[in-house]
Amino acid sequence: MLNSSQKKLNHGIAFILAFVSLAAASNVQADTGVVDNQATAENAGADATSEQPAMSDATAASLPGAIEIEGDALNLYLDRNMRATGNAVIRKGEQSVAGDSIDYDIQNDELRVDGNAHIDLGDSSISGPSLRMRLDESVGEMRNASIVFEKSIAPSRDQTSVPSQSYDNQAYATSNPKIYQDNNNDQNNYNAVSTNLKGSRGDAGLVLFEGQDKKRLKNARYTTCAAGVDDWYIKAGELELNNYTESGVAKNAYIEFKGVPLLYTPWLSFSFNNQRKSGLLAPSVGTTSRSGFEVYTPYYWNIRPNMDATLATRYLSKRGLQLQGEFRYLEENFSGINNVEYLNNDTLADSNRYYAKFSHLHNFGSGWSGGYNLEKVSDNQYFSDMSTRIVSTSRVNLPQEAFINYASEHWQLNGIAQKYQTLDEVSYPYERLPEFTLRGNKSWDNFDAELLGQWTYFDRSNEAQAKATLPTGQRLVAYPSVSVPFISNYGYITPKVGAHITSYRLNDNNYFVNGQTVSEDTQNRSLPIFSLDSGLYFDKESNFFDRKYTQTLEPRLFYVYIPYDDQSRIPVFDTSLADLNMTTLFSENQFTGNDRVNNANQVSLALTTRFIDGDTGIERIAATIGQRFYFDDQKVTMPNVARTNRRESDIIAGFTARLSTKWNVDAFWQYDPDRSRLTRSNILTRYNPEPGKLLNIGYRYTDNFLEQINVSGQWPLGNGWYGVGRYNYSLRDKTAIESLAGVEYDAGCWQARSVIQRVETATADANYALFFQLELGGLASIGSNPLNLLRRDIPGYLSSGEIPNLYRQQNYNQ
């Protein structure tokens, strides 16, 4: 059987033939430009008189089941035979049949068209030398028929995707954020692309009409190539189509490219009009340095409209045969995705290897919902050996969690039990077994009240506890607060007061904090918090380069006071120092988590300016600069981190420019005034003059941690060729993290792309992968799909099929 791409061929043919059914006529109208109704009746010997009013064209054509016939010459014989010759046309509703001559036997309901028979269906047409048909029964035939599609018959969906992607994935992801995640299966990730099929065509040696909804095509072909270009065809020796069941059967079907047959199958059953159906999908091939040559062969099982499965084999020349399975279900109140991969006796690792992921989300009603996410692999090197995606190979902690949630107008309750499988044997996070978080908010007149409450039991895995003596136990947090916002059109001011209360009940064991042994089973902390957030808005009209802009000036001041409390003996479960950015600059606590609350007598200042295009409303430039100033020493720190007596924080600045449709710039800087040096910098520049021409240049720097450059792009090379590439290099480590290079050829009705990728993994040596894909008009795809890789690694990338025809044509002429 063939994949969903090949189903679109048969879908297209069925789409045309579904309209080829004409009913018998109850009213007959002659073209008054040839002969009027009275004259026709007289020639036929009918009892027509001149007193009978002539029926207008519009009236006759509007009658149900009416047939309109015209031609250079028109004859009616004994009220039973009609014959039109010379530019002859017979119409019924929106359907029309044309030919050199048309004979219609009304009594026997037989239509015969000789010479240039043509059926016009609006969006498509069928032509042939002759047509024979009984209209009432829709039984007949047309030999040597050709079919032309004027508009797209396929949806704008990546036709290389498996039918299991037929769910509305965007809506599914939105309603099921816990479940809809990458399943780490490179072959099963697909994204939408647009496909231009205007001008696609097909033909058949014989079209047999076997009823209103049934058609049979002999020696059928289909292609999206223009007339005179026969680069590829999808062919079938015999094709049966049933419009009622929206399904078909093809026999001796195969793809032919440049005269070479590909993907042959003696028999297949399929559905069209974007319906799913069980069957084999097109295989994909590829190669990696760690696993060798591989062939992926999937089978799709359409269990129910809301349930399906994909079963697959993945042969790896260096490792053996891997079995894969994906099961998905989507009900009104629950949904889920389950994935399993199993490789029996990996010949390189000399062991059985597996990956499993089970996800479920359930809506219990009345505001309650819950679910689970479970992931596990057989060994630490599984992703680096089996996957080519850097987002997979860099994973070191796999969650194993169950959760329950409640939401109402004023209250939200979240509960979770969470463990991890750690692959790098270093970064062992605490397990939350379990954690409950309660949030509440309510407003009374000018007052806004909020409450945060959380109880957590923190535990450690046996492997983690064996590496270090660390505390375990319970933590209870409560943070009630009240704010009074005053807001106007020129600014705002919001005072807020609250109390952060934390209590620990630790297990009976010693632990180390800041180089000292602590044995207390109980730790408590209560801290009042006061903050004042305020801002102003100023704007004026400006003119630059003969364009009108609205320039804004937006100063902001944020003051926080929190008294000091010695927290050096309190354990650290889930807390770290937050990065300084435009969000954390205006936060009360400089730490994430609840194990540390900084002492504060400080003010944060920032100034933002924007230039807004007066004609379009587009924000062309936005720039912000900010800094925090301390009136007291910072005494609260993370374990083994020295205190600081700095009176100001680093200076942070952000800049965004949308100067034109071609240039975009996003930048962030963090500057240490004490050392007079940058501590962090992120800069990304994009040049995108037109679709298909793209250059991204990025630079990332974090003091004593990383320094990377990232260059990626896509550019036309002329004559339908495009070059793509990415290079992510670590200046600090003097090594390439990920590199990618490839070419894409666009022949108009087919595309070919080849990509080679190198990925530096977190748990093993670098892995190399080679992708090659032949895409035929967006309907069929052969090889391994690199499109998701390209879209992820090259922001803004468009496949040649997505580029508008105007720009594609320009590349042909280069």
Side-chain angles (χ1 to χ4, degrees), residues 42 44 69 87 153 159 184 214 292 375 398 404 708 716 772:
E42 292 173 349
I69 187 169
N87 300 312
I153 62 170
Q159 307 302 336
N184 305 304
K214 294 181 180 180
E375 272 191 275
L398 304 183
I404 188 168
Q708 298 175 2
F772 177 80

Side-chain angles (χ1 to χ4, degrees), residues 272-339:
F272 47 87
N273 289 337
N274 205 29
Q275 299 297 313
R276 300 177 299 155
K277 189 175 180 65
S278 301
L280 287 171
L281 309 178
S284 63
V285 296
T287 181
T288 64
S289 60
R290 302 189 64 83
S291 298
F293 178 78
E294 64 178 69
V295 179
Y296 175 78
T297 307
Y299 177 85
Y300 175 68
W301 182 15
N302 183 31
I303 304 173
R304 293 204 302 263
N306 61 338
M307 183 181 298
D308 62 12
T310 302
L311 308 174
T313 61
R314 184 185 179 195
Y315 174 74
L316 309 169
S317 63
K318 293 184 178 181
R319 300 184 181 277
L321 184 65
Q322 183 187 63
L323 303 179
Q324 296 185 3
E326 179 190 68
F327 173 65
R328 308 194 313 168
Y329 51 93
L330 182 62
E331 295 284 353
E332 182 179 358
N333 295 319
F334 61 88
S335 57
I337 304 177
N338 301 319
N339 294 278

Side-chain angles (χ1 to χ4, degrees), residues 10 91 178 480 482 602:
N10 306 314
R91 298 187 182 92
K178 281 282 188 179
V482 177
Q602 63 197 35

Side-chain angles (χ1 to χ4, degrees), residues 68 70 83 90 130 168 183 239 246 323 367 394 420 443 464 466 604 624 633 666 688 709 727 731 738 757 785 791 802:
E68 177 185 354
E70 65 181 57
R83 178 177 176 83
I90 185 170
S130 63
D168 184 349
N183 61 9
L239 184 63
E246 296 186 329
L323 303 179
S394 59
Y420 295 93
S443 298
S604 298
T624 302
D633 292 342
D666 293 286
N688 191 191
I709 58 172
Y727 188 67
L731 298 172
E738 183 178 14
Q757 178 201 29
N785 182 9
R791 293 190 181 102
E802 297 174 291

Side-chain angles (χ1 to χ4, degrees), residues 541 547-552 554 610-622 658-659:
E541 302 298 324
R547 294 186 67 90
K548 294 182 179 179
Y549 293 91
T550 299
Q551 180 184 0
T552 70
E554 306 166 27
R610 309 175 197 271
F611 287 85
I612 302 172
D613 193 314
D615 296 328
T616 64
I618 297 175
E619 183 181 277
R620 295 295 183 184
I621 296 178
R658 304 290 183 265
L659 300 178

